[in-house]
Amino acid sequence: MNEAVRTILQTNNQAARQSAPESDPGFLWDFWYPALRSTKIRGNHLVTTMLLEVPLVVGRTSEGQPFAMRDSCPHRGIPLSYGRFDGQTVECSYHGWRFDAATARCVEIPSLTNQDKLQVDRVFAGHYPCEERDGYVWVCMNAPGSRLPENIGAAPALPVFSQKYKITHLACELPSHVDQGIIGLMDPAHGPFVHQSWFWRSKHSIHAKEKQFEPIPYGFRMSPHSPSANSAPYQVLKKMTGETVTTTIDFVLPNMRLEEIRSGKLWFSSRATVTPVRRDLCRIDFVAAWNLFFLPVPLFRMFGKTFLRQDQETMIKQAQGLKHDPRLMLIDDADRPAKWYFALKANLLEARRTGTPMAHPMSGPVTLRWRS
Ligand code: FES
Ligand SMILES: [Fe+2]
């Protein structure tokens, strides 16, 4: 393990433990994060949420454009969400300053007289770029006191492969630092123990596996392969199309796992993101889309919820253990993806600090072997 990775592991262990606001919480700034479901913002309602320990107030202008502001008035810090929103401006509940929702620019300070020199339009509330995609409001988070880079790119979109498809969303909160949530998400070895179900697999189906991985920008890919023969849903798919089934799984910084399953014209695409709310709380947002005519949404949701609940219950138990700051291990090969994650994160931070190109922890394709 290189020094940077070791430091990150230590820092994150400390981060999860300490609540002192001055310690580095180990978040990755200047990325898009899903803040909430689009359906949550309707009419002139203001909704509060939190990303990376930043309190946000989110709403939708009368033109339908979502916006996100720091939920704090720049005057005296009272949450703007206590104020009123008329579809254009947010009025603070304390002294009635009004802010244009789309730009967060102040448009009125009622206490000013025509003697006053203060330029109202120079006053801004904190605000963040906001885009709607795949049924989420995404917010691009820059660190407090810093500016967003010029070119932040568009918010992520779930890949889909036909015009008509079904789509569904699931979410669950984990009482964990985002790093624990992410390495839990990419961990191949917990499946037979945590996700035992009659419809998926049992602990006795454990067998040796060998998977190819390759580097991709900001992440790594489990190269296209035919999924485990012991998983019932894949067998059904293969029977349906009579063609081979291939699965590709990507992990991309800051927090995203994408899975694509294709067989002939049939496809399934999913994305899980683990978003830091606070240093001791993160949320998995899972969205899946597919054109598999034999898979009804309610059935899929039932399976999906079971999976997420199994992970959540495990993370709740793990959090009990992590309170006492144990020494932890990452082993080869099953934890190699987790090592890559920590190395990618360390290398990104280093590249940003030095202004040099980001080094990738993988120099080429790698085969990993484990039993699961
Ligand atoms: S605190 Fe918001 S207007 Fe004074
Ligand atoms: Fe899991």
Side-chain angles (χ1 to χ4, degrees):
M1 201 183 327
N2 70 36
E3 240 350 271
V5 176
R6 203 187 307 276
T7 314
I8 275 207
L9 270 171
Q10 278 167 358
T11 320
N12 290 333
N13 233 353
Q14 287 160 6
R17 195 175 74 238
Q18 293 169 2
S19 50
E22 64 274 13
S23 66
D24 180 359
F27 299 148
L28 286 178
W29 300 95
D30 303 339
F31 282 107
W32 291 97
Y33 290 96
L36 38 78
R37 290 294 311 285
S38 305
T39 46
K40 285 264 182 76
I41 45 168
R42 297 205 182 122
N44 291 349
H45 292 294
L46 295 173
V47 181
T48 60
T49 186
M50 179 172 277
L51 289 177
L52 290 70
E53 298 187 347
V54 176
L56 295 174
V57 53
V58 183
R60 194 187 287 286
T61 65
S62 40
E63 288 84 50
Q65 195 57 40
F67 63 88
M69 288 196 243
R70 194 183 169 91
D71 193 14
S72 172
C73 179
H75 183 212
R76 291 267 219 288
I78 195 170
L80 286 170
S81 52
Y82 287 123
R84 264 204 303 224
F85 177 52
D86 62 5
Q88 295 299 324
T89 58
V90 175
E91 182 187 279
C92 179
S93 60
Y94 202 168
H95 311 94
W97 293 19
R98 286 196 304 122
F99 301 90
D100 176 54
T103 58
R105 185 189 288 273
C106 187
V107 293
E108 189 190 349
I109 296 182
S111 63
L112 295 182
T113 69
N114 46 19
Q115 313 288 303
D116 286 308
K117 301 246 156 35
L118 178 68
Q119 283 181 280
V120 172
D121 62 356
R122 292 278 188 86
V123 177
F124 283 87
H127 84 295
Y128 300 88
C130 205
E131 282 183 18
E132 225 165 337
R133 197 89 81 243
D134 305 328
Y136 297 101
V137 175
W138 293 78
V139 178
C140 192
M141 297 300 297
N142 54 303
S146 78
R147 278 169 173 271
L148 269 176
E150 294 277 292
N151 195 356
I152 53 168
L158 181 73
V160 293
F161 306 97
S162 58
Q163 290 238 304
K164 288 183 80 177
Y165 54 84
K166 295 175 182 134
I167 186 162
T168 191
H169 305 77
L170 293 168
C172 92
E173 286 192 333
L174 308 175
S176 323
H177 187 271
V178 62
D179 289 342
Q180 290 300 340
I182 287 175
I183 68 173
L185 192 74
M186 60 176 59
D187 170 18
H190 75 287
F193 298 91
V194 172
H195 299 299
Q196 288 175 32
S197 329
W198 61 267
F199 63 86
W200 192 250
R201 53 179 309 176
S202 78
K203 167 156 86 174
H204 305 292
S205 67
I206 198 164
H207 65 287
K209 287 187 183 152
E210 188 177 297
K211 299 273 155 69
Q212 278 273 120
F213 288 80
E214 57 194 277
I216 57 174
Y218 290 98
F220 51 87
R221 165 170 300 164
M222 188 192 283
S223 313
H225 64 282
S226 297
S228 290
N230 62 0
S231 300
Y234 298 124
Q235 292 191 347
V236 176
L237 187 53
K238 195 170 173 186
K239 285 226 175 74
M240 289 280 174
T241 62
E243 298 194 47
T244 48
V245 183
T246 59
T247 300
T248 309
I249 301 173
D250 287 357
F251 173 79
V252 188
L253 285 182
N255 64 345
M256 204 174 296
R257 178 192 192 272
L258 293 155
E259 179 163 4
E260 212 175 286
I261 304 171
R262 318 276 303 255
S263 180
K265 285 207 169 83
L266 298 182
W267 59 269
F268 171 93
S269 173
S270 75
R271 179 186 63 216
T273 48
V274 188
T275 294
V277 178
R278 302 187 309 253
R279 66 195 70 196
D280 60 350
L281 180 69
C282 61
R283 190 187 60 245
I284 300 182
D285 290 295
F286 178 79
V287 53
W290 63 87
N291 72 345
L292 314 173
F293 52 88
F294 52 88
L295 181 57
V297 170
L299 183 71
F300 179 81
R301 291 182 64 82
M302 196 178 81
F303 292 150
K305 279 183 190 167
T306 303
F307 259 72
L308 283 178
R309 197 180 336 107
Q310 290 165 337
D311 283 328
Q312 186 184 41
E313 283 165 2
T314 306
M315 301 296 286
I316 291 171
K317 292 174 188 160
Q318 187 198 18
Q320 294 172 13
L322 291 182
K323 266 192 219 143
H324 310 290
D325 193 30
R327 285 185 70 85
L328 306 176
M329 298 166 71
L330 294 174
I331 65 161
D332 282 328
D333 280 353
D335 293 333
R336 192 85 70 84
K339 292 185 186 181
W340 289 331
Y341 164 68
F342 285 116
L344 282 163
K345 193 174 168 184
N347 293 1
L348 174 72
L349 293 173
E350 183 63 8
R352 284 181 175 178
R353 194 181 65 78
T354 56
T356 51
M358 179 181 157
H360 200 291
M362 301 166 73
S363 53
V366 178
T367 303
L368 299 187
R369 296 175 184 86
W370 68 80
R371 287 170 52 82
S372 67

